[in-house]
Amino acid sequence: MDIGIGLPVLRPDPEVSIAGWARHAESRGFTTLGVTDRLVYDQYEPLTALAVAAGATTRIRLTTSILLAPLRANHALFAKSAATLDRLSCGRLVLGLAPGAREDDYRAGGLPFRRRGKLFDALLDRATEQWRNPDGIGPRPATPGGPPLLLGGFTGAALRRMVTHGRGWVAGAQGVENFRAHLPGVRRAWQEAGRAGAPRLVGTVHFALGPGAQQRLHTGLTRYYTSGTYTRKSIEAGRSTPEAVAREVAAYAEAGCDELILFPHGGGPEQVDLLADAIGW
């Protein structure tokens, strides 16, 4: 199983260098640099943060996990931005996409929350067509046909998007049992659509390590998700000790996960080393 680490994009500390973090993560053997996405929150814009990381690295993948795709209302411009980042990174971009479930993000973006599914479908159709046939809206992405797409969500619409446009599925950070519970439906949808091979399966986990880790994790997730069942489940699924991280990584590997991305909450660049040490690198 590949293991990635998130960039420090949530409530970012100006003293923590995105470029330095990215270089160090690559040197420690992580396979992916991940970013999450919200509009109504103090965090770096995901594609911009990945562009900085791309310029500082040469091998590591750059993954949105996930990007709130329907908020990118200009579909041609989104496709151009993604193709640019894919070309500048020599084909290292992976786009994990989902519509999201927070109405405040759409309200702030001036977009109808209840139409986010239709907006998402329209974006996928336009972007994938543009990547195949730029028709004057370049550049062509480095990856033929465009960056690999991972679709998030558990609904029938989410699985339809995955088998129509995606290379695989990305799960929310609600624990390995939640990940495992949805795999049969994901695999069945893939097979019933006649897709060759198997979908790429990506899991996500929140973590914090070192002094004050549990409090940083709890505070960070409460701020990010604000309230509700999803918040509680995310906090319960977060990991704040090296032993818990190691067990979670092993559990995801046993469940059939192809790549696990662990997202940091607080701390500085030492989180890269603490995580690498926890998983035995």
Side-chain angles (χ1 to χ4, degrees), residues 208-217 240-242 265-268 270-271 274:
L209 293 169
Q214 187 172 12
Q215 184 59 49
R216 284 189 281 113
L217 186 65
S240 57
T241 68
H265 287 265
E270 80 285 347
Q271 295 297 303
L274 289 172

Side-chain angles (χ1 to χ4, degrees), residues 7 46-56 62 85 88:
L7 287 171
L47 295 181
T48 307
L50 287 181
V52 173
L62 312 163
L85 180 51
L88 290 174

Side-chain angles (χ1 to χ4, degrees), residues 67-136:
L67 190 75
L68 298 177
L71 292 180
R72 278 68 188 177
N74 186 322
H75 301 161
L77 181 58
F78 165 75
K80 185 181 185 75
S81 297
T84 298
L85 180 51
D86 189 58
R87 179 160 289 282
L88 290 174
S89 66
C90 301
R92 291 185 283 144
L93 180 62
V94 177
L95 289 173
L97 306 174
R102 299 178 190 84
E103 191 167 357
D104 57 348
D105 287 328
Y106 284 85
R107 187 165 53 248
L111 295 168
F113 178 69
R114 297 189 183 281
R115 294 193 66 248
R116 66 194 187 281
K118 292 185 182 300
L119 293 171
F120 194 7
D121 288 335
L123 177 141
L124 288 169
D125 289 342
R126 175 59 189 266
T128 53
E129 174 60 26
Q130 188 169 311
W131 292 330
R132 290 191 299 266
N133 303 292
D135 193 26

